Amino acid sequence: MKKCFGILIICLGVFSKAVMADSDEDIREILQTSKHHIEILADGNDTYTYRVWNKPKQVGQGQPDLEIPDGTMWGRISATDIECMKGAKGYDFTLKNVEIHITMDGCPKKGQPRNATGVLDVFINGRQRSSFWVYTTP
């Protein structure tokens, strides 16, 4: 399944429109998974661009392998005493039949590595195809 995701990223990267950052874009997050380096850019109109480079390439090393513009960021502040839900946030990106959801909520999940800060889920045609632990890159 992860092999299919890798092939999909390459295919979508070829067909996706490459939009280079201009002066109105600010880097919002630099993240990584076991297989990818991710850059999330704030476009200035409450929209975000998702860029991914397959490892071993680094962020900014040539064209991204996949770029999805017009994503959204969501966040919630809990009024309850559930500490791990306070300040949760995430990003949602859609390109044709592919959806990328990144959730960073601080709630440890079963089997979560100690330094993981969230989860990246990939859905194709509404079915979850892959899931990766997300790490914040300093």
Side-chain angles (χ1 to χ4, degrees):
M1 197 170 351
K2 289 182 181 178
K3 189 174 185 178
C4 291
F5 176 67
I7 293 169
L8 174 70
I9 285 181
I10 292 168
C11 291
L12 288 174
V14 170
F15 294 110
S16 68
K17 180 180 176 185
V19 179
M20 297 307 294
D22 63 16
S23 60
D24 293 337
E25 295 177 326
D26 295 324
I27 295 174
R28 178 70 178 170
E29 304 272 359
I30 300 289
L31 307 169
Q32 65 178 316
T33 69
S34 60
K35 298 184 184 252
H36 311 97
H37 290 285
I38 301 163
E39 176 182 67
I40 298 175
L41 300 170
D43 297 334
N45 297 321
D46 291 329
T47 61
Y48 297 83
T49 297
Y50 171 89
R51 293 181 178 163
V52 63
W53 287 262
N54 297 331
K55 289 182 176 180
K57 291 188 287 184
Q58 298 291 321
V59 168
Q61 188 176 9
Q63 292 290 332
D65 293 301
L66 175 64
E67 184 168 316
I68 305 175
D70 300 323
T72 59
M73 178 183 171
W74 55 267
R76 64 177 180 265
I77 303 296
S78 175
T80 68
D81 291 330
I82 302 173
E83 184 63 33
C84 66
M85 296 302 286
K86 292 183 180 174
K89 68 177 179 178
Y91 299 92
D92 296 321
F93 301 92
T94 303
L95 180 64
K96 298 183 183 181
N97 64 333
V98 177
E99 298 173 36
I100 308 285
H101 302 286
I102 300 172
T103 305
M104 300 164 65
D105 64 9
C107 294
K109 293 165 184 54
K110 186 174 184 176
Q112 179 173 341
R114 189 166 59 99
N115 54 346
T117 56
V119 176
L120 183 148
D121 293 307
V122 178
F123 292 82
I124 302 172
N125 293 327
R127 289 187 53 211
Q128 184 174 6
R129 297 294 185 164
S130 299
S131 186
F132 299 92
W133 294 113
V134 173
Y135 303 86
T136 303
T137 302

